[in-house]
Each structure stands twice: as structure tokens, then as C-alpha cells.
């Protein structure tokens, strides 16, 4: 362990002391919204942001208030216009974006794919995908430069296709990842028009590349749906579950369009986020050799040279703490928006209809009232006996309440299995010329990827 004063403090967003002046605020919101959040968001329970255009905007960081919004009085708060503006062009009204009964039956249809007993069988597929990347890195050799952000996307994309979609049947991973990035940089990114409340159709008109990317995603998944509809069922994967599901209210099955939109949701929500959790974990470990050594020692003692299984994942508690702490400092989803669907209250405070509520996860995870030394990388804060992981409205990389991430257990298993597999055999050094700047584009990605150098490759006698 290191002395507390020698712990690594990664570069962080420097919040403006006060609300930015109007024009600077508009441009910052369009460039990287998180850089416009003033210091008050990191120190106060509530912050009403000036919003000369459109509805009022309220930042909420107090755990008890968040519980009201996401759980106790969830019916007063919808996902709202921000969500729909950025996600609907690609995802339609699938599980992430739908509301009410339409959401509920889609969630129930997919739930069996995420049961713990189903999950346990998937872990070997997860470690195998990481081993495939290790083989590429071995072929590249010590000294090779790699973009860890891109390579983590490759691993998690392989995993989501292999575990949920029976291999994805012809989906071109490289091309699809490229199109997802284009979407996130265009239609998935706030524009001045979004901030001024201009109609989404105008944004589409101004972003032909974004529209083409959304169309590409739709057409590849549509083709997969058509192949699955005409082939035999019975594989028991997520596609089968969704095809067989019946809406309990109407008795109808999902249309091709609903099936397509849900599959795009699972592909999108189910790989980029975990890739980011892994990218930030590897970055933090590259800067903190003492913690990296603890992870390696744990992996070695739990797994020896064997491929990583579910039983190992359940025992790799320090490796899991590293992932949890990486998602505290760099949450893949940096903020959760909601919108008041009627005049309502939060902890007794009046909140008018249409108010946009922003739960700024990045700032909540570094809030001065909630955390000791909030900017320091310290996986020991997640020691299981301290119970922090269970404080759902305080630490919430996966959201909370009724709409909590359905893939939480899947993602944590995956991140631990992949991180352990990689850390056992490789040492990566971050390229010091690369400046760390988290950029919010629906998810929070490192600007310029994560360039690293393969500094050492450790051997393992393969079982
Ligand atoms: C580290 C990885 C992940 C992070 C940080 C993450 C984060 C989140 C968050 C914050 C939400 C809540 C959104 C809201 O309340 O508005 C969410 C929802 C969701 N996530 Fe994840 N997620 C991750 C992995 C996954 C995986 C692996 C899958 C699927 C395989 C997945 C599928 C979904 C779906 C379908 C929803 C919508 C759930 C609903 O509305 O009922 N996510 N995720």
C-alpha cells in the first residue's frame, strides 16, 4: 500500500468558479458540456442553472433527492426531451428511451438474459475475448503503440455479439464502431440548436453524416433480424428472448422495428460503456504502479495460469474495487437527465412542469459533501466491508431506481474478467504527450483515445 499523500490524482475537469457568461456557456456546452458545470455543482445539493431559453434546468446531487426522482416518485419524472433528442434518432423507442408500460414489457422480455445463472456461463467468453487481444498485442511486441480505447471497444464488441447475439452473424465490428463514433460526434453531441431548443429535424438536416451513421446501424441490424426471423429459433440468446416475448397487455409480439431498435440499444449500451470503464481502469493503473502490482498479485494468487472463470471473478475483489473506483472518477455515463412531467416537488422544493433535472454523476462522484479526497485514485474506498457499492444514490455509474442499468451484473463481470486477463500478462505505459481530457458525447470518452505503449509482456503457461 502507498502512503495516503503519495496516491495518484488524475487530471480532472476544472469547474468554473461561477456560471460562465452566456456566449462562453453556449460554446462550452456544445463543445464539452461537463466543462460548463460550475463549482457549485460539486459542492451544493441543488443548483438552478440560468436558462434564458427553454425550460428551467436544475442540477441535483443530494442522494435523498435522487432517490425521490428515480425511485419513490419516478412517475413525476420522464426521461424527457434531452434523452430523446440525442438517442431517439438511433434507438427509436426501445428499452432505454421508452416510458411506462411500453418500457416495462421490453425490460421484462430481456430480463432472463441477465439472470446471474445465465451470466456465470458467459464469463469464459469474456476472458477469451481479452485473450484474443493479448495475442494481437504479443504479435505487435514490446514497444508497440496501441490505442487502448479502440482495443477495449474491440474486446467488448466481440463480447456483446458472442454472448447476446450468437456471434452477430456478419456484423462488421470495425465499420459499425466507426459509424457509432460518427453518430456520437454528430447527432449524439449537443449543438447550439439543442441548447436553444430548435427542432431536432433541423439538427438532422445539418448532420447528414450522423443520419447516414444511424441508417447504417439500422440496416445492418435489420438484416440480422430478417435472417433470424427466417431461420430456426431455439438458440436461447437475447434475440430469441425478444422475438418470443409477448406484451402482457396486448398479447402482441415485437415488430421488426422494435426488435431492431432494442438490438441496437443492446449493442450500443452494452459495449462502449464497459470499454470506457476498462480504458479508464488501465489508464489509472498505468499511473499507479503500487496498485497495478496489487492487482497482478491478486490475479496471480486467485487464478494461477488458468483462464479466468466466474468463480475467479467472484474472488477477485481488489480488481473489482479498481473498476468501481475507475467508474467513480471517470463514469462512462457522466450525467443522467430527467424532465418533470407535471408540477411537482423534490424533498418539498417546488419544481415546475417541464423542468429539466440533471443528475451530474461525474460531479456527484467527486462531491465535497460525499467524499474524502474526492480527486484521488483510491480503490480501497470500495473495500467490501465499507459497503459503498451498495449506496445506490450516492455512487451511481449504472444509474439507480426503476431504470437502473439492466446490464450492471454483466458489465461488472466483464470488466473484472477482462482487466484481470490483461493485467496478468501486460504492462502498459500511457503516452505522456497525450493530454487527458474527458469529453462528453452521450458517454464520457478520453479525447484522442488512450495511446499507450506495451512496456512488458509477461509469460503464462497456457492451460
Ligand atoms: C460499465 C458499463 C455500463 C455502464 C456505466 C452503464 C450505464 C447505464 C446507465 C447510467 C443507465 C441508466 C440510464 C437512465 O436511467 O437514464 C443504463 C441503462 C441501460 N443499460 Fe447500461 N451501462 C453499462 C453496461 C451495460 C451493458 C453491458 C448492457 C447490456 C448488455 C447495458 C444495457 C442497458 C440498457 C438496455 C439500459 C436501459 C435500461 C432501462 O431503461 O430499463 N448496459 N446503463
Amino acid at each position: 500500500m502507498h502512503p495516503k499523500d503519495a496516491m495518484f490524482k488524475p487530471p480532472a475537469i476544472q469547474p468554473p468558479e461561477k456560471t460562465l457568461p452566456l456566449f462562453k456557456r453556449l460554446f462550452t456546452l456544445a463543445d464539452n458540456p461537463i466543462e460548463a458545470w460550475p463549482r457549485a455543482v460539486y459542492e451544493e445539493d441543488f443548483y438552478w442553472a440560468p436558462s434564458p431559453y427553454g425550460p428551467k434546468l436544475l442540477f441535483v446531487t443530494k442522494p435523498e433527492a435522487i432517490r425521490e426522482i428515480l425511485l419513490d416518485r419516478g412517475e413525476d419524472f420522464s426521461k424527457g426531451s434531452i434523452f430523446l433528442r440525442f438517442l431517439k434518432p438511433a434507438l427509436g423507442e426501445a428499452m432505454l428511451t421508452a416510458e411506462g408500460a411500453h418500457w416495462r414489457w421490453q425490460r421484462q422480455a430481456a430480463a432472463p438474459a441477465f439472470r446471474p445463472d445465465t451470466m456465470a456461463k458467459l464469463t469464459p467468453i469474456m476472458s477469451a475475448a481479452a485473450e484474443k487481444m493479448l495475442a494481437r498485442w504479443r504479435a505487435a511486441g514490446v514497444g508497440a503503440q496501441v490505442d487502448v480505447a479502440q482495443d477495449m471497444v474491440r474486446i467488448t464488441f466481440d463480447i456483446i455479439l458472442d454472448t447476446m447475439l450468437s456471434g452477430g452473424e456478419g456484423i462488421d465490428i470495425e465499420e459499425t464502431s466507426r459509424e457509432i463514433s460518427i453518430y456520437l460526434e454528430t447527432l449524439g453531441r449537443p449543438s447550439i440548436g439543442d441548447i436553444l431548443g430548435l427542432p431536432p429535424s433541423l439538427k438532422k438536416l445539418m448532420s447528414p453524416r450522423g443520419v447516414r451513421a444511424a441508417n447504417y446501424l439500422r440496416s445492418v441490424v435489420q438484416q440480422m433480424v430478417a435472417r433470424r426471423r427466417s431461420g430456426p429459433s431455439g438458440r436461447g440468446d437475447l434475440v430469441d428472448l425478444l422475438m418470443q416475448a409477448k406484451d402482457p397487455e396486448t398479447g402482441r409480439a415485437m415488430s421488426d422495428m422494435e426488435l431492431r431498435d432494442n438490438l441496437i440499444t443492446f449493442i450500443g449500451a452494452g459495449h462502449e460503456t464497459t470499454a470506457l470503464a476498462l480504458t479508464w481502469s488501465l489508464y489509472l493503473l498505468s499511473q499507479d504502479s503500487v496498485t497495478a502490482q496489487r492487482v497482478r498479485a491478486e490475479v496471480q494468487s486467485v487464478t494461477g495460469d488458468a483462464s479466468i472463470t466466474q468463480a475467479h471473478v467472484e474472488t477477485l475483489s481488489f480488481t473489482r474495487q479498481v473498476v468501481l473506483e475507475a467508474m467513480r472518477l471517470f463514469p462512462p455515463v457522466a450525467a443522467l437527465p430527467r424532465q418533470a412531467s407535471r408540477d411537482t416537488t423534490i424533498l418539498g422544493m417546488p419544481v415546475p412542469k417541464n423542468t429539466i433535472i440533471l443528475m451530474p454523476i461525474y460531479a456527484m462522484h467527486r462531491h465535497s459533501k460525499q467524499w474524502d479526497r474526492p480527486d484521488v485514485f483510491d480503490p480501497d474506498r470500495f473495500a467490501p466491508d465499507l459497503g459503498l457499492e451498495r449506496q445506490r444514490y450516492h455512487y451511481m455509474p449504472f444509474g439507480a431506481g426503476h431504470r437502473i442499468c439492466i446490464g450492471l451484473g454483466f458489465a461488472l463481470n466483464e470488466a473484472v474478467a477482462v482487466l484481470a486477463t490483461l493485467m496478468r500478462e501486460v504492462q502498459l505505459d500511457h503516452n505522456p504527450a497525450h493530454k487527458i481530457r474527458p469529453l462528453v458525447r452521450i458517454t464520457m470518452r478520453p479525447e484522442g483515445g488512450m495511446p499507450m505503449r506495451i512496456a512488458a509482456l509477461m509469460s503464462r503457461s497456457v492451460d
Side-chain angles (χ1 to χ4, degrees):
M1 294 222 197
H2 12 34
K4 293 278 175 203
D5 57 357
M7 297 178 92
F8 177 55
K9 203 168 157 186
I13 302 278
Q14 290 309 310
E17 291 306 320
K18 293 202 174 75
T19 303
L20 293 171
L22 182 62
F23 281 111
K24 184 145 194 226
R25 191 163 76 244
L26 286 180
F27 283 104
T28 309
L29 285 170
D31 177 36
N32 193 17
I34 200 170
E35 290 175 352
W37 301 351
R39 184 168 298 284
V41 175
Y42 295 77
E43 294 177 353
E44 308 292 334
D45 294 333
F46 299 101
Y47 171 75
W48 286 97
S51 54
Y53 310 98
K56 287 172 172 292
L57 172 60
L58 173 63
F59 284 81
V60 181
T61 59
K62 193 177 173 69
E64 296 81 350
I66 290 176
R67 189 191 147 106
E68 269 199 9
I69 298 163
L70 295 179
L71 185 72
D72 302 335
R73 301 221 331 283
E75 71 281 4
D76 282 5
F77 303 94
S78 68
K79 290 235 167 173
S81 52
I82 296 194
F83 230 92
L84 298 182
R85 219 169 236 279
F86 297 118
L87 290 174
K88 205 169 170 181
L91 305 183
E93 285 200 40
M95 193 192 305
L96 189 65
T97 38
E99 307 271 4
H102 188 52
W103 158 72
R104 199 166 300 108
W105 86 279
Q106 300 186 70
R107 175 122 184 169
Q108 281 163 359
F114 294 92
R115 275 204 298 259
D117 52 327
T118 316
M119 288 296 91
K121 294 187 203 122
L122 305 180
T123 308
I125 302 179
M126 296 167 171
S127 25
E131 284 178 8
K132 218 160 89 184
M133 183 53 68
L134 274 174
R136 287 184 175 198
W137 286 353
R138 281 196 183 283
V142 170
Q145 304 287 334
V146 291
D147 180 352
V148 163
Q150 216 170 55
D151 287 350
M152 292 308 109
V153 165
R154 176 75 216 203
I155 294 176
T156 57
F157 211 143
D158 269 350
I159 291 173
I160 196 78
L161 295 184
D162 284 348
T163 55
M164 295 275 157
L165 309 168
S166 296
E169 307 185 52
I171 289 186
D172 178 337
I173 294 189
E174 315 261 307
E175 183 56 22
T176 309
S177 293
R178 235 185 336 269
E179 297 296 337
I180 291 176
S181 285
I182 292 174
Y183 182 86
L184 293 176
E185 276 300 333
T186 52
L187 294 176
R189 173 183 182 170
S191 66
I192 302 273
D194 291 320
I195 299 157
L196 299 179
L198 300 182
S201 51
L202 201 65
K203 188 173 183 186
K204 282 195 189 168
L205 210 64
M206 308 284 284
S207 307
R209 287 174 68 229
V211 173
R212 269 200 304 278
N215 288 343
Y216 175 86
L217 294 177
R218 288 185 164 166
S219 87
V220 287
V221 177
Q222 186 75 51
Q223 286 163 26
M224 183 176 82
V225 168
R227 282 194 298 273
R228 292 296 297 268
R229 289 264 197 226
S230 59
S233 65
R235 299 187 198 181
D237 65 357
L238 180 74
V239 185
D240 270 349
L241 283 173
L242 297 180
M243 282 200 300
Q244 286 153 11
K246 294 268 187 301
D247 182 341
E249 281 182 18
T250 61
R252 75 176 179 89
M254 274 187 202
S255 66
D256 278 4
M257 216 169 76
E258 286 166 335
L259 190 55
R260 176 199 71 193
D261 291 349
N262 270 298
L263 294 176
I264 298 178
T265 299
F266 278 97
I267 293 172
H271 84 283
E272 227 255 326
T273 42
T274 319
L276 288 166
L278 283 162
T279 300
W280 291 114
S281 299
L282 287 167
Y283 162 68
L284 290 162
L285 290 172
S286 76
Q287 302 297 300
D288 179 346
S289 56
V290 175
T291 304
Q293 203 36 51
R294 274 178 80 187
V295 170
R296 284 198 185 97
E298 180 183 73
V299 179
Q300 201 59 56
S301 83
V302 170
T303 70
D305 279 342
S307 286
I308 288 168
T309 63
Q310 182 61 18
H312 295 137
V313 166
E314 284 163 18
T315 320
L316 289 167
S317 58
F318 186 67
T319 309
R320 179 185 176 94
Q321 287 171 226
V322 167
V323 172
L324 295 172
E325 175 68 342
M327 288 195 294
R328 181 185 71 81
L329 286 166
F330 297 105
V333 177
L336 277 192
R338 291 292 188 268
Q339 191 158 23
S341 41
R342 58 184 76 134
D343 287 337
T344 182
T345 57
I346 298 175
L347 295 181
M349 176 177 66
V351 173
K353 182 175 172 176
N354 289 334
T355 300
I356 291 177
I357 315 284
L358 208 62
M359 288 158 276
I361 300 176
Y362 178 88
M364 287 166 58
H365 284 182
R366 294 168 183 252
H367 201 281
S368 60
K369 288 192 186 171
Q370 316 286 352
W371 304 92
D372 174 35
R373 298 166 302 126
D375 291 329
V376 164
F377 174 53
D378 179 8
D380 282 320
R381 46 175 116 234
F382 284 97
D385 52 328
L386 300 179
L388 188 55
E389 192 184 347
R390 293 187 297 277
Q391 297 201 20
R392 284 268 192 253
Y393 303 94
H394 177 138
Y395 172 70
M396 39 184 262
F398 295 101
H402 302 292
R403 304 298 294 259
I404 194 168
C405 177
I406 196 173
L408 184 161
F410 179 99
L412 279 175
N413 270 2
E414 177 182 12
V416 171
V418 172
L419 189 62
T421 304
L422 298 178
M423 285 299 290
R424 186 170 53 183
E425 290 187 56
V426 69
Q427 185 194 321
L428 295 163
D429 285 350
H430 176 241
N431 176 348
H434 171 246
K435 188 169 165 284
I436 293 293
R437 181 183 181 222
L439 265 191
V440 171
R441 301 282 184 265
I442 301 182
T443 50
M444 193 172 78
R445 310 172 126 195
E447 185 176 38
M450 189 60 79
M452 293 213 185
R453 181 177 154 273
I454 299 178
L457 286 160
M458 286 73 87
S459 57
R460 167 170 89 99
S461 50
V462 177
D463 49 346

